[in-house]
Amino acid sequence: MMLTLQSSQTVQLSTRAGPSVLIRQPVCRNRRSVGCSASSNSRSAVSSSLISVLKDELKYERDYYRREESLLAGPPNDFDLDDPEGKNAFYLLKEYKNEAIVIEVDLDNQPEVGDDDYGDGDDDDKDDDSDVVPVKFRVSIGKQGSALIFECESNGEVVVINHLAFERASNNEEEEDDTPAYTGPVFDELDDTLQQAFLDYLEERGISAELGEYMRLMCLDKTALEYQAWLQRVRDFIAQ
């Protein structure tokens, strides 16, 4: 048998009994052509343009952003703020006697500008307040495994209850039953005196117009900060 070197990557194996066989040697994994290296590091004009636009948008948002002074002292009425970074919600927590109070504000479940309904004022008054964005929030007041759940809104001047549900502690039999439980009536259909009594119940626990204004401003603030963080993450991803 005779081995004859034909090139840097091919060896010819020949024998007297048969035809020659070509054996291709593996190319070193560490070797890279200049063309491949340039291709992996190149960036299209479209991507470069998008990165530039994202950079300008991020700069604008950061230059425009100002934190409201009323947020610096934290939430009123003895609530504690839980604001997880990168999440679409923040929480206000409080213990009142034997009750655990949790308020959730979901950034993705908020009304549009001018979508509020807080009275029957004249059109001039509505125009003056048209730029006020109300905040939606969910209040859970729990004790002994059961809870009252309030779906509320506030424009910073009043608190409005949209729905009220009672969730009682479940047992094993109820967990196996898929039939939806009755949670409560349409709140607007309750007697006016009963509606006001529930509003007083919330205010006694610190869920007032003052807290509503804090949540309204906090919702705008967190939305702006999360948007800035999102812009940065997307820009970094495209630039890789």
Side-chain angles (χ1 to χ4, degrees), residues 9-224:
Q9 295 185 9
T10 305
V11 174
Q12 183 179 29
L13 178 64
S14 62
T15 66
R16 296 181 183 275
S20 61
V21 179
L22 295 180
I23 302 177
R24 183 167 298 277
Q25 294 180 337
V27 179
C28 178
R29 294 181 181 273
N30 293 328
R31 295 179 59 186
R32 296 182 180 177
S33 65
V34 176
C36 291
S37 177
S39 176
S40 63
N41 293 330
S42 64
R43 183 182 298 128
S44 71
V46 172
S47 295
S48 297
S49 176
L50 177 55
I51 291 172
S52 178
V53 174
L54 287 167
K55 180 180 178 181
D56 292 342
E57 177 71 3
L58 180 59
K59 182 179 184 303
Y60 172 82
E61 288 294 325
R62 287 176 173 172
D63 291 344
Y64 179 78
Y65 171 77
R66 294 292 184 276
R67 189 173 181 85
E68 292 285 345
E69 292 185 3
S70 57
L71 296 177
L72 300 178
N77 304 336
D78 299 322
F79 278 93
D80 294 321
L81 173 65
D82 179 14
D83 181 19
E85 185 177 349
K87 303 299 182 180
N88 68 337
F90 65 90
Y91 307 88
L92 299 176
L93 313 174
K94 180 179 180 179
E95 295 288 336
Y96 179 80
K97 298 181 179 179
N98 63 334
E99 301 170 351
I101 303 175
V102 179
I103 302 177
E104 178 184 5
V105 181
D106 185 347
L107 303 186
D108 292 337
N109 183 30
Q110 295 301 320
E112 299 293 335
V113 177
D115 192 26
D116 56 276
D117 183 12
Y118 297 102
D120 298 324
D122 56 38
D123 292 338
D124 293 337
D125 292 338
K126 291 182 180 180
D127 291 339
D128 293 340
D129 296 336
S130 60
D131 58 342
V132 174
V133 182
V135 60
K136 283 185 177 182
F137 55 97
R138 184 176 189 264
V139 181
S140 173
I141 302 177
K143 56 183 175 180
Q144 298 178 356
S146 299
L148 282 174
I149 308 297
F150 295 84
E151 303 290 344
C152 305
E153 286 187 43
S154 178
N155 63 352
E157 296 182 356
V158 295
V159 173
V160 174
I161 300 175
N162 294 327
H163 183 66
L164 168 61
F166 175 67
E167 296 181 356
R168 60 180 178 178
S170 60
N171 53 43
N172 294 333
E173 293 180 358
E174 290 176 337
E175 291 177 355
E176 296 176 356
D177 186 2
D178 295 333
T179 305
Y182 175 78
T183 59
V186 177
F187 189 80
D188 288 342
E189 296 179 357
L190 294 177
D191 182 81
D192 290 345
T193 303
L194 184 54
Q195 292 186 39
Q196 184 60 50
F198 277 119
L199 288 169
D200 295 341
Y201 178 84
L202 290 179
E203 187 165 10
E204 183 183 40
R205 286 150 180 78
I207 303 163
S208 59
E210 180 186 10
L211 185 67
E213 176 66 2
Y214 174 86
M215 289 187 287
R216 191 184 71 82
L217 296 176
M218 183 66 193
C219 186
L220 296 173
D221 186 83
K222 183 173 177 62
T223 299

